[in-house]
Amino acid sequence: MNTLHLKASACHPASINLPGSKSISNRTLLLAALSDNISEIYGVLDSDDTRYMLKALTTLGVKLEYLPARSVNSGLNIRIYGCHGKFPQQKADLFLGNAGTAFRPLTAVLAIIGGEYYLHGVNRMHERPIGDLVDALRVTGATIEYKGQNGFPPLQIQDNLQQNNFHISVKGNVSSQFLTALLIALPLTGKVYTIEVVGELISKPYIAITLNLLKQFGVNVEHDHFQTFRLAAGQHYHAPAQIYVEGDASSASYFLAAGLISGNPVRVNGIDAHSIQGDIAFVNELEKIGASVQWGEQFIEISRASNQYIKPFDIDANNIPDAAMTLAIIALASKGTCHIRNIASWRVKETDRINAMSCELRKLGAKVVATNDSISITPPAKLHSDIHISTYDDHRMAMCFSLISLLGTPVYIDDPQCVNKTFPEYFQVFTSMCTPV
């Protein structure tokens, strides 16, 4: 296994260009492929997860053209020839790695339009539940068979029988991606549908991203406080001629945290107060615990006054589950016990993040109390040095624990290449803003 040693470092003032948002990139690629026209998407995140989506679309017969790079944006620029809501290839074997933002929406779309499709991924993807989505799709007439354990991938999809049941229920407390998948797929029928969310809907901001993008592609969805969603008949996808992908707000969290921890100003470029991503609310949480925030046009800058310390916190992180992982590391820089609550979704991510985070924080000497949906962290008087951090093939574990080096503590990050899932250049960018001490 590869290991990266990060020396105890100081973060100097820096300006960072963010990669494109994974959530926006994969949703936009799929919507463009289903549209009735040609569109150009700029700043698509270049990572494992988006590569899986792009490969799947190509396998399904979507015509893609890669456009020249532009100095004003990073990532991929792609021209997509929309398929009018029906993929040319009606039979395909799709390997989707551990990319939930590709697997769940493609499952719904292929189940709705019908055909013979086998969807599978890495072992961890086969441990991530999908039964609630499959149950909802079967109500529409979809024929989906589990090829392994019931309720989990891999999946075999056959023709859709198009039953006349236009009211669907889906549980909201496992993954917001299930609802996103239905919202993307059902307009392809051209029929009226109502989706009822059973229980509390987690990660509402990710649904807000979906609704925002659907509207950009010509599909309007009405909802009552994110509990009941109504799709009108006769809608179809029509892409904007040009689409620009926002910088990734979740990836921004590590650099913004560096500005808080170090006190030196760190600016992230590519997002601002008008972002459609819910993780932008992470900035507000940093401000509450001691950060100085500057909002600008297409940037956010974080620093901390020399006389301001990082305050302990107690946060309901339901709406910022990914960025909340960064708060678990910031807790080590506080002067007391910190609580992160309402994070049950951590259990079904790339790994069980509550267990993984608890284990690695304890290695560093922290006292950790974990429940099914929360974690409490008490920092030690002094962190243990040169600890090997296991990353569980989870990109966010690797990126989060890189911040330990800014707490005056050298650390080893095992399997650092797992960041390829969303941010292949992360460690080059991170170390460029750090000076060993």
Side-chain angles (χ1 to χ4, degrees):
M1 177 182 294
N2 294 329
T3 295
L4 174 66
H5 186 235
L6 297 176
K7 297 178 180 179
S9 301
C11 174
H12 52 72
S15 180
I16 304 299
N17 295 324
L18 293 172
S21 161
K22 177 186 69 171
S23 298
I24 296 175
S25 291
N26 268 350
R27 285 168 172 79
T28 301
L29 289 170
L30 182 55
L31 292 171
L34 294 169
S35 293
D36 61 2
N37 61 322
I38 300 169
S39 58
E40 295 179 353
I41 310 174
Y42 295 94
V44 172
L45 174 66
D46 187 3
S47 72
D48 286 351
D49 278 20
T50 51
R51 292 284 181 180
Y52 284 124
M53 175 64 88
L54 288 164
K55 184 177 180 181
L57 294 177
T58 300
T59 301
L60 292 167
V62 179
K63 182 181 177 182
L64 309 175
E65 293 177 357
Y66 289 86
L67 304 174
R70 289 185 170 188
S71 59
V72 295
N73 73 285
S74 60
L76 303 172
N77 302 321
I78 304 172
R79 180 180 293 121
I80 297 185
Y81 293 76
C83 295
H84 298 261
K86 193 80 170 178
F87 294 122
Q89 294 298 324
Q90 298 294 294
K91 184 176 182 179
D93 181 319
L94 303 176
F95 178 79
L96 297 164
N98 197 13
T101 55
F103 202 109
R104 276 75 176 267
L106 279 169
T107 293
V109 166
L110 296 174
I112 289 296
I113 64 178
E116 295 183 33
Y117 303 105
Y118 178 62
L119 281 71
H120 56 120
V122 300
N123 289 338
R124 175 57 185 169
M125 178 57 77
H126 297 170
E127 296 171 349
R128 299 175 70 178
I130 200 168
D132 292 330
L133 175 59
V134 170
D135 290 345
L137 290 167
R138 284 173 171 170
V139 170
T140 74
T143 304
I144 306 174
E145 179 184 355
Y146 297 114
K147 303 304 290 184
Q149 181 181 356
N150 279 347
F152 298 84
L155 304 176
Q156 180 69 48
I157 296 173
Q158 303 292 342
D159 285 334
N160 190 303
L161 303 177
Q162 293 292 318
Q163 295 178 359
N164 294 319
N165 191 334
F166 304 117
H167 188 100
I168 297 174
S169 297
V170 63
K171 292 180 182 177
N173 64 348
V174 177
S175 173
S176 65
Q177 289 179 2
F178 298 163
L179 178 54
T180 279
L182 293 170
L183 290 170
I184 290 174
L186 291 176
L188 299 171
T189 67
K191 298 176 181 177
V192 174
Y193 269 96
T194 299
I195 306 171
E196 196 81 31
V197 176
V198 179
E200 181 184 10
L201 176 62
I202 63 173
S203 305
K204 291 185 181 71
Y206 286 101
I207 299 303
I209 291 175
T210 302
L211 296 177
N212 187 296
L213 291 174
L214 291 177
K215 187 172 183 179
Q216 291 184 43
F217 281 80
V219 170
N220 289 299
V221 180
E222 296 181 353
H223 68 90
D224 296 326
H225 306 290
F226 291 91
Q227 286 299 126
T228 303
F229 296 79
R230 288 178 292 275
L231 287 77
Q235 300 193 83
H236 66 279
Y237 290 122
H238 183 83
Q242 294 185 328
I243 308 151
Y244 295 85
V245 176
E246 286 184 8
D248 189 82
S250 299
S251 295
S253 71
Y254 316 111
F255 304 108
L256 297 175
L260 172 65
I261 291 169
S262 69
N264 287 324
V266 175
R267 176 175 294 193
V268 294
N269 302 303
I271 55 171
D272 57 25
H274 303 293
S275 170
I276 67 172
Q277 298 170 74
D279 273 347
I280 203 73
F282 175 76
V283 178
N284 300 327
E285 300 305 325
L286 294 189
E287 191 169 29
K288 292 175 187 176
I289 62 175
S292 298
V293 181
Q294 180 184 354
W295 297 89
E297 185 174 349
Q298 284 296 293
F299 77 83
I300 305 168
E301 184 173 290
I302 293 286
S303 60
R304 178 168 55 88
S306 59
N307 62 348
Q308 178 67 268
Y309 65 92
I310 297 175
K311 303 172 186 175
F313 54 84
D314 185 335
I315 178 178
D316 182 332
N318 180 271
N319 287 334
I320 55 168
D322 288 340
M325 292 183 70
T326 311
L327 285 169
I329 305 302
I330 292 174
L332 299 177
S334 72
K335 300 298 183 181
T337 300
C338 298
H339 307 279
I340 305 173
R341 298 177 287 102
N342 210 354
I343 51 171
S345 63
W346 280 21
R347 297 283 187 190
V348 295
K349 296 287 189 175
E350 282 78 350
T351 188
D352 181 335
R353 287 175 171 170
I354 291 180
N355 279 346
M357 185 65 73
S358 300
C359 181
E360 303 313 306
L361 288 172
R362 289 181 182 125
K363 287 182 185 178
L364 291 161
K367 180 182 177 181
V368 180
V369 177
T371 71
N372 186 57
D373 67 349
S374 70
I375 187 169
S376 297
I377 303 156
T378 305
K382 181 176 176 57
L383 294 170
H384 299 165
S385 296
D386 287 318
I387 296 299
H388 278 260
I389 299 297
S390 300
T391 51
Y392 306 81
D393 197 27
D394 187 336
H395 57 133
R396 300 211 182 280
M397 287 292 292
M399 292 186 277
C400 280
F401 278 90
S402 67
L403 295 169
I404 296 301
S405 64
L406 300 182
L407 297 174
T409 305
V411 66
Y412 288 91
I413 306 295
D414 291 343
D415 191 25
Q417 64 270 22
C418 65
V419 300
N420 291 344
K421 181 177 174 69
T422 53
F423 199 161
E425 296 83 25
Y426 174 77
F427 283 108
Q428 295 95 303
V429 176
F430 178 76
T431 55
S432 73
M433 56 189 273
C434 299
T435 303
V437 295

